[in-house]
Amino acid sequence: MKKVLTIAGSDSTGGAGIQADLKTFEEFGVFGFSSVTSVVTMDPTNGWTHEVTVLPEELLRKQLVSVFAGEAIHAIKTGMMGNERNIQVASEVIKQQGVKNIVVDPVIACKGTAQILQPESVEGLKRYLLPQARVATPNLVEAGILSGLGDLKTIDDMKEAAKVIHRLGVANVVVKGGHRLHETRAIDLFYNGYEFEVFEGPLYVTEYNHGAGCTFAAAITAALAKEYTVLEAVRVAKLFVAAAIQQGVRINPYVGHVWHGAYNSAQERMKEVL
Ligand code: PXL
C-alpha cells in the first residue's frame, strides 16, 4: 500500500485542506497521513469570514515525527502552511527524509475568499518549499504573486509565470487557469523547463466548487505515489476534479464543496446490498 502525507490546514467544513486531501487519497487507494499546520474556521454570523489559526511549529514537528516513525512515505503534498516557521519545519523534514514526490500547492489565495491571503508565506514558499517541488500547482493569482508578474490574463501570461516559477527550482509547474481566465474551457498550463502543454477540459459553471484546488493537487500527489508519470498524474487529476466539481454539494447557505467521491461513486455500489 502506498503511503501519502498531506501537510496542510484544516478546513472545518470538510471541502478543502487536509480534509480534501485525505478524502482524495482514499479514493485513489493510497493510505493518507496528515500533519496539520493551521485551522481555518468560518463565521456564519459575519458573512462567512474565514479565520486562520496557525499551530505552533513544535506541534507540526511532533506530527511529522509521528508520520515518519515507520517505513517510507511515497509522496507528500503541502497546502496552506500558515507561516514561514511552519514552512521551514516542513521543508527541513522533507529534505531529511529524502522523499522525491513532493507536490507543493502554494496556498496564498483562496478562491472567493479574499480573507485568506497569506503574504507571510510567499517568501518562505519561494525559498524553502518550491525548490523541493516535483510539481507545483499555483492558481492564476498565486502564479502572478510567485512570479512577480501580477495580474495574469492570457495563456501567454501563464507561460511567462510558469517559466519564472520553474526557475525557482520547481521541476514541473501546473498553472491553473480556472474561472478567472475568462475562457470558455477550463485551461491549465503545464511546463517542465523545456516544453509547455495546455490542458483543456469543460468549464463547469457552478458555485459549489470549494476545495477544487486542494483536491486537484492531492490527486496528483496520490497518482505520483502510484508511480504515474507527472503528465499521467496531471491528466487523471483533471478528470478526478472535473467529476468532483460536476457533482458539487451545497453545504450551507454560504458555500458548496466539490464532491471528492464523485469519480468512483462508491455510494452507488453500496446500494447493491439493499
Ligand atoms: O482552497 C484553499 C484552502 C486551502 N486550505 C485550507 C482552506 C482553504 C480555503 O478555504 O480552508 C485549509
Side-chain angles (χ1 to χ4, degrees):
M1 171 81 77
K2 299 294 185 187
K3 303 190 182 91
V4 183
L5 165 66
T6 169
I7 307 174
S10 162
D11 169 5
S12 312
T13 69
I18 48 164
Q19 288 81 359
D21 298 342
L22 291 173
K23 291 174 188 185
T24 301
F25 295 164
E26 191 88 0
E27 295 295 321
F28 272 78
V30 299
F31 201 95
F33 290 60
S34 66
S35 295
V36 186
T37 61
S38 48
V39 177
V40 180
T41 47
M42 297 84 176
D43 184 355
T45 67
N46 185 21
W48 200 242
T49 44
H50 291 47
E51 188 181 346
V52 181
T53 306
V54 181
L55 301 189
E57 61 179 290
E58 305 80 58
L59 190 49
L60 176 59
R61 204 182 281 281
K62 280 189 191 173
Q63 294 175 80
L64 290 166
V65 167
S66 317
V67 169
F68 287 103
E71 291 156 32
I73 293 287
H74 299 93
I76 301 175
K77 185 209 138 180
T78 68
M80 177 184 286
M81 299 303 292
N83 61 27
E84 193 163 306
R85 309 287 302 163
N86 280 344
I87 291 175
Q88 281 176 357
V89 169
S91 146
E92 217 176 89
V93 173
I94 290 170
K95 210 172 276 170
Q96 264 167 16
Q97 296 295 332
V99 181
K100 296 284 173 281
N101 288 322
I102 307 296
V103 177
V104 176
D105 188 21
V107 176
I108 307 169
C110 284
K111 178 171 13 68
T113 52
Q115 303 103 321
I116 297 200
L117 270 174
Q118 300 228 302
E120 61 279 25
S121 293
V122 176
E123 281 315 305
L125 284 168
K126 284 163 79 167
R127 269 182 70 177
Y128 302 108
L129 269 184
L130 289 168
Q132 297 192 60
R134 183 165 183 210
V135 181
T137 56
N139 63 29
L140 214 54
V141 174
E142 289 157 351
I145 295 171
L146 291 170
S147 63
L149 295 175
D151 251 4
L152 309 180
K153 294 202 173 68
T154 63
I155 294 175
D156 279 344
D157 292 348
M158 289 163 79
K159 286 185 175 171
E160 286 311 308
K163 280 192 204 163
V164 178
I165 294 168
H166 180 265
R167 267 187 248 125
L168 294 172
V170 179
N172 300 276
V173 186
V174 183
V175 181
K176 301 174 289 187
H179 66 289
R180 295 190 188 92
L181 196 62
H182 301 300
E183 295 277 344
T184 51
R185 309 269 292 161
I187 291 175
D188 300 316
L189 177 82
F190 170 84
Y191 181 60
N192 58 7
Y194 50 96
E195 61 186 355
F196 293 103
E197 185 157 331
V198 175
F199 287 97
E200 265 195 61
L203 183 70
Y204 299 111
V205 181
T206 168
E207 286 178 17
Y208 301 162
N209 59 6
H210 176 80
C214 300
T215 302
F216 178 64
I220 294 175
T221 313
L224 291 178
K226 292 167 73 168
E227 297 175 14
Y228 286 47
T229 66
V230 172
L231 278 175
E232 286 165 354
V234 173
R235 275 193 204 108
V236 74
K238 265 207 81 111
L239 293 176
F240 187 89
V241 79
I245 292 170
Q246 213 176 2
Q247 294 186 40
V249 189
R250 182 184 190 272
I251 296 297
N252 59 33
Y254 313 98
V255 71
H257 295 351
V258 298
W259 165 229
H260 313 85
Y263 189 82
N264 291 327
S265 291
Q267 76 277 13
E268 297 304 318
R269 293 198 305 285
M270 298 278 173
K271 286 183 189 155
E272 287 167 16
V273 299
L274 299 178

